[in-house]
Amino acid sequence: MKQLITLLALLLSITTFAFNDPDPERTGSINGIVIDKILQEPIPYVSIVIKDLNGEIITGGITDENGIFNIDGIPEGKSHLSIQYIGYKTYDTEIEISKGNRKIELGRIELEENIEALDEVVIRAEISTIQQKLDRKVITVGKDLVTAGPTASDIMNNLPSVNIDQQTGELSLRGNQNVRVMVDGKLSNVPVAQLLKQIPSSSIKQIELITNPSAKYDPEGMSGIINIILHKNVKLGTNGNVSVGLTYEEEARFNGAIDMNYRNGKFNIYGNYGNNVGKSQNEGTIFRPNENIEQDFDFLSNDKSNLLKAGLDFYLNEKNTISFFTTQNFYDGSFEGVTDVLYFDDPEFNQTQIFTQVSDNLASTYNFDYKLEFEKEGHNIELEADYNIYNSDENTTFNFIGASPIPNYKDFLDVESGRLDINLDYVNPLTETTKLEVGIEARFYETVNDYNSTGFSFNSDGNLIPTPSTEFEYKRDIYSAYTTYGKNYEKWSYQVGARIESVEVKADTNAIRSFSNDYVEVYPSAFLTYTPTKKNQYQLSYSRRVDRPGVSQVNPIREWSTPLISSFGNTELKPQFTNSIEANYTRSLEKGSITGGMFYRMINDEINRALFVDRTNTNKQILTYDNFDDTYAYGVELSSNYKPTKWWSFNASFDLYSQKQSGFAESLDPDIENPTENDIVTIYGEAEVISWNFRMFNNFKVGKKLTLSAFGFYRGRNETLQFAVDPMYFVNVGARYNLWDGRGTFSINYNDIFNTMKFAFEGDSPYRQTGEFNWESNTVNVSLSYRFGGGKYSAKSRKRRDNDEKSGGGGVF
């Protein structure tokens, strides 16, 4: 923070000094080179500050990539020189410009590491922080979150406004699953549930919850964007971190990760590797009281995943940077499930389905980036190309025991997907208070799903026929351009922008055109900020967004099946559009901060789940998607970081969401004794769905090395059109201990200590039913991490999109 304040003061003083325009005949200059005392290597971008003898800043600058500095315009007389860089001791000396000595050569200046500053950084990293920006919350992941679970999926429920379904892995933001997940600002072809389980929590630097993105961002995702930023070490020399962990209840799960970088001269080479291996169980029951039928589920997954990221930054000079990186996600897993269907009144119809699914996939990303900085600070142009491929091979075996009319069979599904994104971004700070951003982008996406089966299916006449093979090919090309303009006043700032997109969608089923959809849409955005004092800030924003049907939502190939229900996509789906308004207030306190906000969404052609009776077997259901009437949603949020005492700090949040849901479900007429497909009735309905969550993460510091933690979560009862879901709550406790002078951390966590975490529901449509699902939540997790290396240099950002805070956020410069 001291270095930041110094830099801001330096910029202000340079501007003031430039207007004063001292006599060049009575000024002088200094030059030199700054190096690391131990490594004997130059340190780029070090602050050089020149002050008068009263401590007022006169001028200054920074070292170049070779550690060299040259400061002109120093007035005649004695001055104070201060050389500062985070993690190093400040170098201070006095200089004198005189008539016979107007050019001072300081030569080599060696900076020493500041051990106290290093300790301060370690302590600060103990606790996660939440910062409210204009269009997002930025969660900086500390040791408390890292030790809460081994993967990104495990820590999501700890974040404000975020929920993850432990059964399906589906992620929601502000109560809605239409959210885009990005890693380092890039979309992935890997399914979100699988992706989150592949990312080690120890590899995560920050998580951004971008709830109302500006026009600079792709407009997909009604609820916004969750951007996971991985560590990218840019310290001088060789540095890294290694961690291992074990989680256990019924089955064991192992995880490990290593982050490394090597920085020397104009090159920075970095890499991350994470591994997760293990099994997990879950089970559940669904009961239909009217038919006196019960379904019992028992599942076991065995997953092996590896995530590798490697990259290179090449600093051609102070103005030009070229970067490359690649990520490789390897996954190999199996899923075994047993479903028992018990007809208590007619036991002869009892049946058991045993299925085994074996899958492996590889997702690869290749990224190129070139950035050119112009002379004016913040004035740049950047070209990026990102290529992403995903190949998956999935084989599923279905075996039946008992009264099933379907013989045993196997399903084979091969998926090949490719995505190419190319974007050109231009940023120009027109004045000190205004900024213009423009950009163009092209996104090309294609996937081919090839399905084959040895089984049989019922046709419309109720007869068994061989299940037909299906090849589903889906293509989507998007061409877009955007512009944003922002301006700052003393206490006010605003930004307005718009993105225009041309979309071409084509889908073929067995080489026959299933559907096509071409359209052009405009997505405006606007942001307004008022900061009357340093402690108070008000924010108001608007954006228009779209939810395009995903491949799984339009894919006619069966997604999954049990004896009583099957899931398919709907090729007739149309995009869903949302207009979103959001307001936030942030109050800075002496010991923390508190943020309150509210939002309102107007939704057109809502996409939601629909439940039909299977015409080929009226005892079964078909789960799919459909467009419904226009609707709305609103919500309020309250979050806080606070440190009541030196030994106790907490993050707490409360959120409440409401959405009007319209929909329908089919069911058999309950008044008919032996109903057939001619006795199907359609039930239309509307419901005001209200849900709320409260969570609190506490950290208790016990001495210099030991920290205790406690996390509590409560989700209130909520009702949808089809189900009423019971409240869910749990408590996690943990401890972590710093080892080896703060370079190591040992942690132990006991999760869901009261074993209360479960999903329980009841419903009346299309059948009266109750259900409950449980999983391995009552777990113990132990982990050990170690940080090595000692370089204290941070290279400049390779890309604003990958930086801690993305640009384009409402007049913030």
Side-chain angles (χ1 to χ4, degrees):
M1 179 60 70
K2 293 179 181 178
Q3 284 77 6
L4 178 60
I5 294 173
T6 301
L7 182 59
L8 293 175
L10 175 62
L11 293 174
L12 180 62
S13 68
I14 292 173
T15 304
T16 306
F17 187 70
F19 281 111
N20 291 337
D21 195 20
D23 184 358
E25 297 296 326
R26 304 189 62 182
T27 62
S29 66
I30 62 170
N31 62 67
I33 180 171
V34 179
I35 65 173
D36 183 284
K37 184 176 181 178
I38 297 175
L39 297 175
Q40 290 295 302
E41 292 184 350
I43 310 176
Y45 316 117
V46 176
S47 297
I48 313 296
V49 183
I50 309 296
K51 302 178 183 179
D52 62 23
L53 298 183
N54 294 321
E56 297 294 326
I57 297 176
I58 301 172
T59 185
I62 60 173
T63 61
D64 62 17
E65 66 269 18
N66 297 312
I68 297 171
F69 65 91
N70 189 2
I71 310 297
D72 297 317
I74 303 173
E76 192 174 274
K78 293 183 178 181
S79 302
H80 182 80
L81 168 68
S82 179
I83 299 179
Q84 304 172 353
Y85 196 71
I86 187 169
Y88 289 86
K89 294 180 180 179
T90 300
Y91 175 90
D92 293 301
T93 189
E94 189 177 277
I95 59 173
E96 182 176 4
I97 301 295
S98 60
K99 184 178 295 185
N101 188 22
R102 297 195 180 278
K103 186 175 182 179
I104 301 174
E105 296 183 357
L106 297 176
R108 291 162 61 94
I109 300 172
E110 298 181 343
L111 294 189
E112 294 183 68
E113 280 191 354
N114 188 341
I115 302 301
E116 293 180 0
L118 292 177
D119 291 340
E120 180 183 353
V121 172
V122 172
I123 293 172
R124 196 175 300 156
E126 287 283 339
I127 299 169
S128 300
T129 60
I130 304 174
Q131 188 177 11
Q132 177 68 46
K133 298 294 185 180
L134 184 66
D135 60 346
R136 78 200 68 198
K137 286 184 175 71
V138 180
I139 295 96
T140 300
V141 177
K143 293 180 183 178
D144 50 356
L145 271 183
V146 169
T147 57
T151 70
S153 180
D154 294 304
I155 67 175
M156 282 295 163
N157 273 327
N158 296 300
L159 307 182
S161 309
V162 179
N163 287 302
I164 190 163
D165 189 319
Q166 298 294 335
Q167 288 292 116
T168 64
E170 291 183 339
L171 189 70
S172 62
L173 177 63
R174 288 181 167 176
N176 192 283
Q177 294 178 357
N178 294 318
V179 55
R180 306 290 281 180
V181 176
M182 309 176 83
V183 179
D184 288 331
K186 312 294 184 298
L187 291 172
S188 172
N189 286 333
V190 181
V192 170
Q194 180 182 320
L195 177 67
L196 295 178
K197 291 180 180 179
Q198 287 183 260
I199 300 175
S201 58
S202 58
S203 295
I204 301 173
K205 179 183 179 182
Q206 290 181 327
I207 299 175
E208 296 180 328
L209 309 180
I210 310 173
T211 53
N212 218 15
S214 73
K216 183 172 184 176
Y217 294 86
D218 298 336
E220 295 184 49
M222 177 175 75
S223 295
I225 300 168
I226 296 178
N227 184 34
I228 300 172
I229 301 172
L230 302 181
H231 280 292
K232 177 193 169 186
N233 228 332
V234 287
K235 295 177 182 177
L236 193 66
T238 301
N239 301 272
N241 183 81
V242 61
S243 63
V244 292
L246 167 67
T247 303
Y248 184 80
E249 182 186 355
E250 298 292 334
E251 302 287 346
R253 299 196 298 274
F254 301 90
N255 66 281
I258 183 169
D259 306 318
M260 290 188 66
N261 88 291
Y262 175 73
R263 163 75 190 191
N264 188 358
K266 294 188 175 183
F267 291 93
N268 180 54
I269 303 172
Y270 60 93
N272 316 95
Y273 171 74
N275 172 264
N276 283 282
V277 178
K279 299 179 180 180
S280 59
Q281 289 185 352
N282 61 71
E283 58 188 17
T285 298
I286 297 177
F287 178 64
R288 294 185 189 174
N290 291 347
E291 296 88 354
N292 202 18
I293 299 174
E294 181 176 287
Q295 295 182 82
D296 295 327
F297 306 91
D298 190 3
F299 303 124
L300 175 66
S301 62
N302 186 1
D303 302 314
K304 305 178 187 68
S305 66
N306 299 271
L307 174 65
L308 172 67
K309 179 177 181 179
L312 167 68
D313 297 327
F314 180 35
Y315 303 97
L316 299 173
N317 51 46
E318 187 178 350
K319 302 297 183 182
N320 294 268
T321 305
I322 295 178
S323 301
F324 306 88
F325 78 79
T326 180
T327 59
Q328 305 290 327
N329 289 359
F330 306 90
Y331 173 81
D332 179 15
S334 64
F335 187 81
E336 299 176 3
V338 178
T339 304
D340 293 314
V341 183
L342 305 176
Y343 293 79
F344 294 112
D345 295 335
D346 300 290
E348 66 273 13
F349 292 109
N350 290 354
Q351 56 182 284
T352 298
Q353 179 195 72
I354 303 172
F355 70 92
T356 303
Q357 185 180 88
V358 178
S359 60
D360 63 83
N361 60 60
L362 170 63
S364 303
T365 298
Y366 303 93
N367 181 276
F368 166 81
D369 181 84
Y370 169 70
K371 186 172 185 179
L372 170 63
E373 297 278 1
F374 297 104
E375 290 299 325
K376 184 166 53 176
E377 179 71 24
H379 186 197
N380 62 73
I381 189 169
E382 189 163 18
L383 173 67
E384 181 187 31
D386 190 79
Y387 181 56
N388 191 309
I389 55 178
Y390 175 75
N391 295 313
S392 173
D393 183 14
E394 183 179 286
N395 301 327
T396 308
T397 300
F398 294 86
N399 293 316
F400 298 91
I401 301 173
S404 173
I406 300 177
N408 299 341
Y409 67 94
K410 293 183 178 181
D411 279 353
F412 306 94
L413 179 62
D414 295 325
V415 178
E416 295 182 2
S417 301
R419 180 196 305 272
L420 174 62
D421 296 346
I422 303 173
N423 51 272
L424 183 65
D425 301 303
Y426 174 74
V427 181
N428 189 353
L430 303 174
T431 68
E432 291 183 357
T433 59
T434 60
K435 181 168 69 173
L436 174 69
E437 296 180 276
V438 295
I440 56 175
E441 185 176 33
R443 286 172 282 158
F444 308 100
Y445 175 73
E446 180 177 2
T447 183
V448 177
N449 291 231
D450 189 6
Y451 169 78
N452 293 278
S453 178
T454 64
F456 293 83
S457 303
F458 288 101
N459 63 12
S460 57
D461 297 323
N463 299 317
L464 278 174
I465 62 171
T467 300
S469 298
T470 305
E471 183 181 84
F472 180 69
E473 184 176 3
Y474 180 89
K475 294 181 179 180
R476 183 174 64 205
D477 296 340
I478 302 175
Y479 304 90
S480 58
Y482 74 87
T483 182
T484 66
Y485 175 82
K487 184 172 179 62
N488 276 358
Y489 298 94
E490 288 186 2
K491 296 182 179 180
W492 294 86
S493 67
Y494 73 86
Q495 184 204 71
V496 293
R499 171 183 285 261
I500 184 171
E501 288 194 341
S502 173
V503 182
E504 301 174 3
V505 179
K506 298 177 183 178
D508 296 336
T509 304
N510 293 333
I512 299 174
R513 181 58 43 87
S514 301
F515 67 94
S516 61
N517 191 13
D518 300 343
Y519 56 94
V520 176
E521 291 286 342
V522 177
Y523 303 95
S525 67
F527 299 84
L528 180 67
T529 301
Y530 174 56
T531 310
T533 67
K534 292 182 178 180
K535 293 185 176 181
N536 296 276
Q537 187 178 71
Y538 300 86
Q539 302 165 337
L540 181 66
S541 62
Y542 161 79
S543 69
R544 184 171 188 256
R545 302 190 61 75
V546 63
D547 288 292
R548 302 184 180 93
V551 175
S552 63
Q553 294 177 319
V554 298
N555 193 344
I557 298 173
R558 179 175 56 201
E559 182 181 15
W560 52 264
S561 178
T562 72
L564 295 182
I565 189 170
S566 298
S567 177
F568 296 86
N570 176 8
T571 59
E572 304 286 326
L573 274 184
K574 299 182 296 183
Q576 165 186 291
F577 296 94
T578 302
N579 291 278
S580 180
I581 301 173
E582 182 173 333
N584 289 293
Y585 167 71
T586 300
R587 169 75 176 183
S588 297
L589 308 172
E590 183 180 351
K591 296 182 178 181
S593 65
I594 186 169
T595 297
M598 61 182 66
F599 68 90
Y600 183 82
R601 302 188 191 119
M602 295 159 283
I603 306 163
N604 305 114
D605 296 322
E606 181 195 17
I607 297 175
N608 213 332
R609 283 288 197 176
L611 203 56
F612 296 90
V613 173
D614 191 338
R615 265 52 175 184
T616 63
N617 183 350
T618 55
N619 286 322
K620 296 188 63 175
Q621 300 166 268
I622 292 178
L623 184 64
T624 186
Y625 298 88
D626 212 334
N627 289 103
F628 295 93
D629 294 335
D630 296 350
T631 184
Y632 60 83
Y634 60 88
V636 295
E637 298 170 325
L638 188 66
S639 62
S640 177
N641 300 313
Y642 199 69
K643 191 173 183 179
T645 67
K646 292 182 178 180
W647 53 269
W648 176 31
S649 63
F650 66 82
N651 296 326
S653 68
F654 170 81
D655 44 74
L656 183 147
Y657 314 117
S658 178
Q659 180 170 340
K660 176 187 173 184
Q661 283 191 351
S662 302
F664 65 87
E666 293 184 342
S667 67
L668 297 175
D669 192 335
D671 297 327
I672 298 177
E673 186 174 350
N674 295 306
T676 67
E677 63 176 288
N678 297 321
D679 303 311
I680 296 173
V681 294
T682 303
I683 302 172
Y684 294 90
E686 291 185 353
E688 188 84 13
V689 180
I690 299 177
S691 60
W692 61 273
N693 305 281
F694 175 78
R695 67 201 88 197
M696 186 174 183
F697 204 134
N698 298 270
N699 285 278
F700 307 96
K701 192 152 188 66
V702 185
K704 293 183 178 180
K705 295 183 177 182
L706 177 63
T707 303
L708 306 179
S709 64
F711 174 73
F713 176 91
Y714 187 91
R715 179 183 300 160
R717 178 182 173 89
N718 66 85
E719 297 187 8
T720 68
L721 281 174
Q722 296 169 348
F723 302 112
V725 181
D726 289 349
M728 184 176 72
Y729 53 93
F730 61 91
V731 174
N732 303 336
V733 296
R736 58 188 180 277
Y737 189 81
N738 286 332
L739 305 168
W740 305 304
D741 297 325
R743 289 184 176 270
T745 302
F746 172 78
S747 67
I748 181 169
N749 287 271
Y750 182 27
N751 299 316
D752 190 16
I753 60 176
F754 301 114
N755 201 21
T756 55
M757 198 173 183
K758 62 182 180 180
F759 176 77
F761 64 92
E762 59 184 11
D764 294 317
S765 178
Y767 308 95
R768 187 183 172 196
Q769 54 190 326
T770 60
E772 180 177 308
F773 286 86
N774 304 84
W775 53 93
E776 290 187 72
S777 60
N778 185 225
T779 59
V780 174
N781 171 264
V782 293
S783 63
L784 178 67
S785 66
Y786 178 73
R787 175 175 57 87
F788 57 90
K792 295 304 299 173
Y793 151 66
S794 275
K796 62 183 178 181
S797 168
R798 70 169 289 273
K799 181 167 176 61
R800 290 287 294 180
R801 291 177 187 268
D802 294 341
N803 204 352
D804 296 353
E805 178 188 351
K806 296 182 183 294
S807 61
V812 178
F813 300 100

